[in-house]
Amino acid sequence: MGWMRNHRKSGGESQSIHTNALGIGIATGAYALSFGAISVASGLSVLQTQSLSLFMFTGASQFAFVGVIGAGGGAVIAVVTALLLGARNSLYALSLGPVLTPKKKEVPFTALLTIDESTAMALRYNASRKASRRAFFATGLSVYVFWNIGTALGSLGASALSDPGVLGLDAAIPAGFLALLWPRLTSGSGSENRKMWTVAVASAVLAMMLIPFLRPGLPVLFSALVAVAASLLWSKASPPSEEN
Amino acid sequence: MWASILIASLGTYVEKLLGYLLPQRILKRESVRRMTGLLPVSLLAALVAVQTFASDQAFLIDARVLGLGVAVVALLLRAPFLVVILVAAASTALVRWLGWMP
């Protein structure tokens, strides 16, 4: 991995990149503890839980997958929900392509590490190709390692418990989704945040109203229609130059 | 279960891979950018609602609501992820242990 070899050369910046990458890794690793625990409480084995962290490696999709399984929604709906949530990674990869310009043989590995955190860091340190590559791979690897360690500790810990409900793990699931949602509602401009809140509330209300009529998991999938409708509506209404 | 784990993992990986292989001009389409930005908001909000209020196909208010409320307070106080989840789980466990809420 060439990006690691000469990371001392550019001093201050590379140090701040590595410190940030480590901090982000530890924070998401702590979060992975709860994923591991929730996954086992949802009925997956320790090995199945670990496979998700090793190969899917995109938190929101993993949480959604085990959430749907745990709620009795079944495998097909779990897969579709995970894929819909993962669609944003395609967009990340599209924006990262010209920044990281990975060689052909680097693409498979670069793709695996393409997640919220590594993308944010690569785009933040975009002064040079070298810096953004360093930020991307340092963050991606750091999160990958800590995410998998956290998953293992969480799933092993939870599998030692008899009834996860006693520990309030069923309440940890919506809290986890809310923690993933929160930055998307609060980090944009005022008008952008208002749009996000509108979509979030409309989707939540629609899903709740559908609970009695559809099998578990489907209300969440139907709520995606709110995002589709809003994006068609707002794309027409707003000028194409607007950032999002 | 293993089959669905495999398919979902492969699928989410292909999504990541596609972004590096597809032509850049897709990014220029406002509706595509909008939709991929809004989909997680929609799905995560719906997941919060359903995981809080659904019990199979019934609408149920129990101690999870309190846990979610505590999570909101923690987020407003800018608590880190793990703290948000811990206080939500702990407060839910506490009111159950006290027998105040199911």
Side-chain angles (χ1 to χ4, degrees):
Chain A
M1 269 161 246
W3 62 273
M4 280 183 101
R5 217 173 296 136
N6 47 18
H7 69 261
R8 285 284 161 227
K9 274 184 191 161
S10 48
E13 189 187 54
S14 77
Q15 194 156 7
S16 93
I17 288 176
H18 290 138
T19 312
N20 280 336
L22 190 67
I24 293 170
I26 293 171
T28 48
Y31 191 48
L33 284 171
S34 59
F35 167 71
I38 287 166
S39 177
V40 167
S42 304
L44 278 78
S45 72
V46 170
L47 200 62
Q48 289 169 336
T49 302
Q50 200 65 43
S51 302
L52 287 176
S53 285
L54 284 168
F55 304 117
M56 188 181 278
F57 188 55
T58 174
S61 296
Q62 290 179 229
F63 262 105
F65 185 86
V66 302
V68 172
I69 297 283
V76 175
I77 300 176
V79 172
V80 176
T81 310
L83 288 179
L84 278 179
L85 269 168
R88 73 189 188 290
N89 290 329
S90 300
L91 193 74
Y92 292 163
L94 265 171
S95 345
L96 285 173
V99 181
L100 303 174
T101 54
K103 295 190 195 89
K104 222 171 196 168
K105 61 176 183 192
E106 291 174 336
V107 167
F109 182 61
T110 309
L112 179 67
L113 296 185
T114 301
I115 50 167
D116 294 331
E117 292 83 358
S118 56
T119 305
M121 281 284 282
L123 298 179
R124 185 175 148 196
Y125 291 96
N126 64 352
S128 68
R129 171 178 184 265
K130 208 172 133 192
S132 56
R133 279 173 68 89
R134 180 170 293 157
F136 175 85
F137 286 110
T139 309
L141 280 175
S142 166
V143 171
Y144 192 83
V145 169
F146 285 107
W147 180 255
N148 275 286
I149 294 174
T151 300
L153 294 177
S155 64
L156 290 171
S159 61
L161 302 167
S162 51
D163 178 15
V166 174
L167 285 188
L169 278 183
D170 53 340
I173 301 175
F177 286 125
L178 187 67
L180 285 169
L181 173 64
W182 200 260
R184 298 171 201 279
L185 300 177
T186 53
S187 57
S189 67
S191 70
E192 195 62 34
N193 286 349
R194 266 194 301 282
K195 285 180 175 174
M196 293 297 177
W197 273 102
T198 309
V199 169
V201 172
S203 306
V205 170
L206 177 64
M208 277 201 284
M209 292 197 314
L210 292 173
I211 288 173
F213 305 108
L214 299 171
R215 62 176 295 188
L218 278 180
V220 172
L221 284 187
F222 268 88
S223 75
L225 292 175
V226 174
V228 174
S231 59
L232 294 176
L233 193 73
W234 286 334
S235 301
K236 230 177 268 175
S238 59
S241 60
E242 192 193 334
E243 283 296 318
N244 77 7
Chain B
M1 180 60 74
W2 276 111
S4 56
I5 289 174
L6 191 76
I7 294 168
S9 299
L10 204 66
T12 47
Y13 180 71
V14 168
E15 284 176 329
K16 294 174 173 182
L17 206 55
L18 267 182
Y20 291 100
L21 307 176
L22 289 172
Q24 285 292 315
R25 63 187 145 78
I26 293 175
L27 261 189
K28 298 219 166 72
R29 292 191 54 179
E30 170 76 6
S31 57
V32 172
R33 287 198 344 220
R34 271 266 171 230
M35 208 176 294
T36 40
L38 288 178
L39 266 179
V41 174
S42 229
L43 293 166
L44 289 170
L47 281 162
V48 171
V50 167
Q51 300 277 354
T52 305
F53 295 107
S55 173
D56 285 325
Q57 279 181 245
F59 191 88
L60 177 73
I61 293 182
D62 63 13
R64 290 174 296 176
V65 181
L66 181 101
L68 190 71
V70 173
V72 170
V73 174
L75 283 165
L76 287 172
L77 295 173
R78 297 174 181 276
F81 271 17
L82 188 67
V83 175
V84 173
I85 291 159
L86 280 180
V87 293
S91 56
T92 303
L94 182 69
V95 294
R96 277 186 189 145
W97 183 70
L98 292 170
W100 292 352
M101 284 174 103

